[in-house]
Amino acid sequence: MTDSNARAALERSVRHGFLHADYSEYHPYQPTLRSNEPDSSALEVLRGELEEAESFVFSVAFVTAGGIGTIKQQLAEFKGSGTIITADYLDFNSPDALRELLTLPEGIEPRIMQGIPHHAKGYIFQHSDHVTAMVGSSNLTRNALTSNTEWNLQFSTSGDGDIADQLREAVEWQVKHSVKLTEEWIAEYE
């Protein structure tokens, strides 16, 4: 899709989702509530976006080995760059889950926010002509991505939209206030 076609489709999708529903045509970028109903799981979104995006940022309070395992194949095949930001919040994350993050391909950087009550749940995907995000209640755990009743809003924006700027600023703040996850950090945490 050319940039002008993508932008026009994005504008129609935003109107459909936020101003006036129009079911007469397909809206590829429409905002969608992902609640893990059949054909509406958070896992579907992550897998699909990882196949198309150029880069990504996951900002999640909690990760489990099972959650990472649900998308490990897509992460292994991902050609772009990625960042996964998690935390030591409530000491929920197990050392084994954190070690699983260290097994991801070189272009994916795991980071840890320490001593900050980080409870975010957001997944941001950068494409050549737009940004797609899913923000809501799903951590990077198997049940949160597949079967728990969760509320995640998936939406798309042009790269120069205000919400894209807000997401970039939030990510920049989190990267600035986090450290690269290392085996040494995990051993001390353990």
Side-chain angles (χ1 to χ4, degrees):
M1 197 180 296
T2 67
D3 284 347
S4 62
N5 288 344
R7 188 171 188 89
L10 178 58
E11 288 176 6
R12 286 191 306 275
S13 295
V14 167
R15 275 195 306 276
H16 168 75
F18 291 112
L19 300 175
H20 180 72
D22 172 9
Y23 298 102
S24 67
E25 65 178 296
Y26 172 64
H27 300 283
Y29 305 112
Q30 74 179 28
T32 304
L33 181 66
R34 300 296 183 172
S35 57
N36 289 336
E37 296 296 323
D39 299 323
S40 185
S41 73
L43 179 59
E44 280 181 16
V45 173
L46 297 187
R47 285 181 173 166
E49 289 293 328
L50 286 169
E51 290 177 5
E52 302 291 329
E54 296 176 348
S55 64
F56 71 84
V57 175
F58 296 170
S59 178
V60 291
F62 307 136
V63 299
T64 62
I68 298 162
T70 62
I71 56 170
K72 190 141 190 192
Q73 184 66 38
Q74 287 78 22
L75 292 171
E77 295 171 358
F78 189 70
K79 302 292 186 222
S81 61
T83 304
I84 300 176
I85 302 167
T86 191
D88 61 0
Y89 184 55
L90 301 177
D91 295 327
F92 177 87
N93 290 322
S94 75
D96 288 343
L98 296 174
R99 284 189 178 96
E100 188 69 19
L101 290 174
L102 295 179
T103 69
L104 297 176
E106 188 176 308
I108 300 173
E109 180 182 49
R111 300 188 65 82
I112 193 94
M113 296 185 79
Q114 48 190 359
I116 296 173
H118 177 70
H119 204 247
K121 292 137 186 105
Y123 303 84
I124 306 164
F125 301 91
Q126 181 67 53
H127 297 267
S128 63
D129 57 2
H130 70 283
V131 175
T132 295
M134 184 175 68
V135 179
S137 64
S138 288
N139 279 296
L140 188 50
T141 68
R142 180 181 308 276
N143 288 344
L145 297 178
T146 61
S147 59
N148 289 353
T149 299
E150 305 275 352
W151 277 18
N152 298 293
L153 179 62
Q154 176 188 355
F155 60 92
S156 295
T157 177
S158 69
D160 57 353
D162 180 61
I163 193 67
D165 289 341
Q166 291 179 50
L167 289 168
R168 273 190 291 275
E169 289 172 10
V171 167
E172 288 170 7
W173 187 92
Q174 289 180 3
V175 168
K176 181 179 176 181
H177 291 90
S178 64
V179 297
K180 186 174 179 179
L181 183 64
T182 63
E183 178 57 43
E184 294 75 23
W185 190 95
I186 296 170
E188 187 175 320
Y189 173 73
E190 195 167 30

